[in-house]
Amino acid sequence: IVYLMNNIFLSFIYPEKLSVSFARSSGPGGQNVNKLNTKVDVRFNIESASWISDRVKGKMKQMFNTRINKSGELVVTSQKYRTQHQNLEDAIAKLSQFLEVASEVPREPSKQTKARIKALKRKAERIRRSEKKYHSDKKSERNSPLH
């Protein structure tokens, strides 16, 4: 499935790689809640997705580790709507969003940012050393014999 939102390409999701199940929802629906299985569980095995790079797989495992079960499946649920179809679309949109977030590459910091970070590191090191020297002097004063 090529998932589009507002005519913008988000990601590829192959339907054969998804495991979809339905259950009774606790969301809106009135009498439908007791009769129809509108809640959607979409399971996506991250390791079997050959079209996703190892970097993105690793980042998905790190970012969404609470949503991954013991068999390595990313579990996405939706019970937001009253129909199975809308909940299925919502769950696939969530999965697509997870893929998009995990595949973002952080941009390279600018020269000013690098210089600022370097200066802050030097300042922190100076402060750490001065505090260390202060504590060292304080302890050495305790051990020196009185004359």
Side-chain angles (χ1 to χ4, degrees):
I1 297 171
V2 177
Y3 194 75
L4 297 173
M5 182 179 276
N6 297 333
N7 294 326
I8 298 171
F9 168 75
L10 292 180
S11 63
F12 279 115
I13 300 172
Y14 295 100
E16 62 270 8
K17 299 293 183 181
L18 300 178
S19 170
V20 180
S21 61
F22 302 98
R24 295 238 163 91
S25 175
S26 63
Q31 293 301 315
N32 270 353
V33 171
N34 302 324
K35 292 189 244 176
L36 303 175
N37 293 330
T38 56
K39 177 181 174 183
V40 176
D41 258 353
V42 175
R43 294 170 187 271
F44 173 67
N45 193 319
I46 297 171
E47 287 303 319
S48 69
S50 58
W51 73 94
I52 298 175
S53 71
D54 290 336
R55 182 190 67 79
V56 174
K57 286 179 187 179
K59 197 167 178 186
M60 282 186 78
K61 287 178 185 176
Q62 177 189 358
M63 292 175 75
F64 308 114
N65 64 342
T66 57
R67 292 177 177 262
I68 297 174
N69 62 17
K70 288 181 181 177
S71 58
E73 295 174 324
L74 177 66
V75 180
V76 182
T77 61
S78 177
Q79 56 183 0
K80 189 175 180 180
Y81 300 103
R82 292 177 58 143
T83 65
Q84 275 185 2
H85 182 70
Q86 285 178 311
N87 283 330
L88 182 59
E89 282 184 352
D90 186 47
I92 292 173
K94 285 180 186 178
L95 180 59
S96 180
Q97 188 177 18
F98 292 165
L99 282 167
E100 184 182 354
V101 168
S103 59
E104 285 179 0
V105 179
R107 62 187 174 121
E108 187 69 28
S110 65
K111 287 183 180 180
Q112 294 94 357
T113 305
K114 284 182 182 178
R116 198 173 119 250
I117 290 171
K118 199 172 187 179
L120 288 171
K121 281 183 180 178
R122 280 195 303 258
K123 183 179 177 183
E125 181 65 19
R126 274 197 314 271
I127 290 170
R128 186 187 71 83
R129 283 188 178 167
S130 68
E131 287 176 354
K132 194 171 178 179
K133 179 70 174 153
Y134 170 75
H135 287 293
S136 173
D137 290 345
K138 183 167 65 171
K139 287 186 175 190
S140 65
E141 285 176 12
R142 290 182 195 152
N143 292 333
S144 64
L146 296 174
H147 294 280

